[in-house]
Amino acid sequence: MQGLAFRGNDELENSLNQGNFLELLKVLASCNEEINNVMLKNAPNNLKLTSPHIQTDIINSATTEITKAIITYLRDDLFSILVDECRDVSIKEQMGVVIWYVNGFGCVIERFISLVHIQNTSATSLKKGIESLLSTYGLNISSLRGQGYDGATNMRGEFNGLKSLILKDNSSAYYIYCFTHQLQLTLFVAKKHSSISSFFNTVTHLVNVIGGSLFEEIAKCEIKTEQGLNQEMALKRSGDTRWSSHYGTVVNLMHLFPSVIDVLEYIGENGILQMRAQDIVNTMNLVRVSKCHLQVIRENGWDSLLPEVLEFCDKYEIVVLDIEDVYVARGRSRHKSKQLANIHHYRVKLFYSVIDMQF
């Protein structure tokens, strides 16, 4: 119900967090002695029923029962579909399908049905996926009264788009251009206006500069907001393709405006930013300090490093070359090597060279 993953990254017995499924089983066992006697370590033989396959079966069973309840509630009423396609992390094309319908009380109900893997995003492939899904749940395409997609050619094309292919089978399945996608286009076009573009750029810079400082003050309770609103009032960067994220950023900025002014005044008076990495002057000072430290190491570091190396080798019984002996490179015989001592090779060719690379 909360959209939490069952399995954890590490489900071994010595793991500090075995994932939601196993951790909840532990809680259940701790609350009921009768259940604890037959669960996890106390399970008879290997009948723990906690393997990844079992967890997947439980998820699939829950999915089936929930979807069955949705379809049963819908009965044979008319409905609409919302469809959008994208790639998952494994680069597989998939299509998300949501149904809309009006319940007995006259309220519009929206229910997510399934993610359908498709071969490609052509209109024909999408239509086959939708027909297969509706058939699986006993829904008839003749009951379809609305289609909501984005404005891509494969979705809204007048002749070969998905909406046209479905309209050929059901002329009552009216197409509606997804309003959310329209807002995204509106935002994209609006940003071409110099004043609006300047406004959002200013907001972005403001969030970059002040976001961390303001969040830290809220966390310390130095900035008081209404009870229960701290999580919603953080200044977050807006996304490039989501109108709602821009709206949320502006709304939160309005709510926190007095605090934003306080933080800006503090920054102005003290000449600092909330992160040193964002202060270019301080960064350059750090670079100069680092160069000075490297120079000191280059001039005096070898004398302190060599005794540490010899001590380490002695502790772990590692054979140490005679540093005054002639250095012999791998694959070369001694008489063919240049007459350089080991100490010269390790100090000049390695130690100094690495520090020079840092410079």
Side-chain angles (χ1 to χ4, degrees), residues 309-321:
V309 174
L310 296 177
E311 182 181 354
F312 178 86
C313 293
D314 181 65
K315 179 178 179 180
Y316 294 101
E317 299 180 351
I318 299 173
V319 177
V320 180
L321 296 174

Side-chain angles (χ1 to χ4, degrees), residues 25-264:
L25 283 183
K26 291 179 182 178
V27 173
L28 183 62
S30 66
C31 298
N32 191 310
E33 184 177 355
E34 185 177 352
I35 294 177
N36 185 50
N37 292 333
V38 292
M39 280 180 59
L40 300 176
K41 293 181 179 180
N42 298 326
N45 299 322
N46 292 324
L47 194 61
K48 294 183 179 181
L49 298 178
T50 58
S51 70
H53 294 294
I54 294 295
Q55 295 184 40
T56 300
D57 287 342
I58 293 173
I59 295 171
N60 291 335
S61 299
T63 301
T64 300
E65 292 301 319
I66 292 171
T67 308
K68 185 188 299 182
I70 294 173
I71 301 302
T72 300
Y73 193 84
L74 175 61
R75 302 190 303 276
D76 296 325
D77 291 344
L78 305 176
F79 65 94
S80 300
I81 58 173
L82 298 176
V83 176
D84 203 359
E85 79 281 355
C86 66
R87 290 183 178 182
D88 61 15
V89 292
S90 61
I91 318 300
K92 290 183 179 179
E93 296 289 353
Q94 60 183 5
M95 172 177 61
V97 180
V98 174
I99 64 170
W100 274 30
Y101 62 93
V102 178
N103 65 10
F105 301 98
C107 298
V108 177
I109 306 298
E110 178 180 290
R111 292 286 183 263
F112 171 77
I113 293 297
S114 180
L115 280 175
V116 181
H117 286 286
I118 50 180
Q119 293 182 349
N120 54 65
T121 58
S122 67
T124 303
S125 180
L126 294 172
K127 183 172 183 287
K128 288 181 180 179
I130 292 174
E131 289 177 334
S132 175
L133 179 66
L134 295 180
S135 175
T136 299
Y137 295 119
L139 298 176
N140 197 321
I141 199 169
S142 63
S143 299
L144 190 61
R145 288 297 180 269
Q147 321 174 53
Y149 317 129
D150 59 27
T153 304
N154 64 329
M155 306 300 280
R156 63 172 297 185
E158 291 296 328
F159 300 103
N160 297 316
L162 174 60
K163 67 111 174 179
S164 300
L165 295 180
I166 291 182
L167 281 171
K168 290 178 181 178
D169 296 338
N170 180 2
S171 59
S172 299
Y174 298 102
Y175 165 73
I176 299 175
Y177 190 171
C178 176
F179 193 65
T180 301
H181 285 87
Q182 291 185 57
L183 283 176
Q184 291 177 25
L185 293 178
T186 301
L187 175 63
F188 176 77
V189 174
K191 282 191 171 183
K192 297 299 181 180
H193 189 283
S194 58
S195 297
I196 296 177
S197 176
S198 175
F199 169 75
F200 280 113
N201 286 336
T202 301
V203 171
T204 300
H205 292 319
L206 182 63
V207 172
N208 289 339
V209 169
I210 204 173
S213 297
L214 192 58
F215 180 78
E216 290 176 4
E217 292 194 25
I218 291 175
K220 296 176 183 177
C221 299
E222 294 176 4
I223 295 178
K224 295 184 179 180
T225 60
E226 295 180 32
Q227 185 175 3
L229 293 182
N230 286 4
Q231 292 181 345
E232 300 297 329
M233 286 296 104
L235 287 179
K236 298 179 180 179
R237 293 178 178 86
S238 54
D240 292 332
T241 60
R242 290 293 180 265
W243 174 265
S244 59
S245 67
H246 290 74
Y247 172 76
T249 299
V250 173
V251 169
N252 288 355
L253 181 60
M254 292 169 61
H255 280 288
L256 295 172
F257 193 72
S259 301
V260 169
I261 297 300
D262 291 340
V263 175
L264 285 176

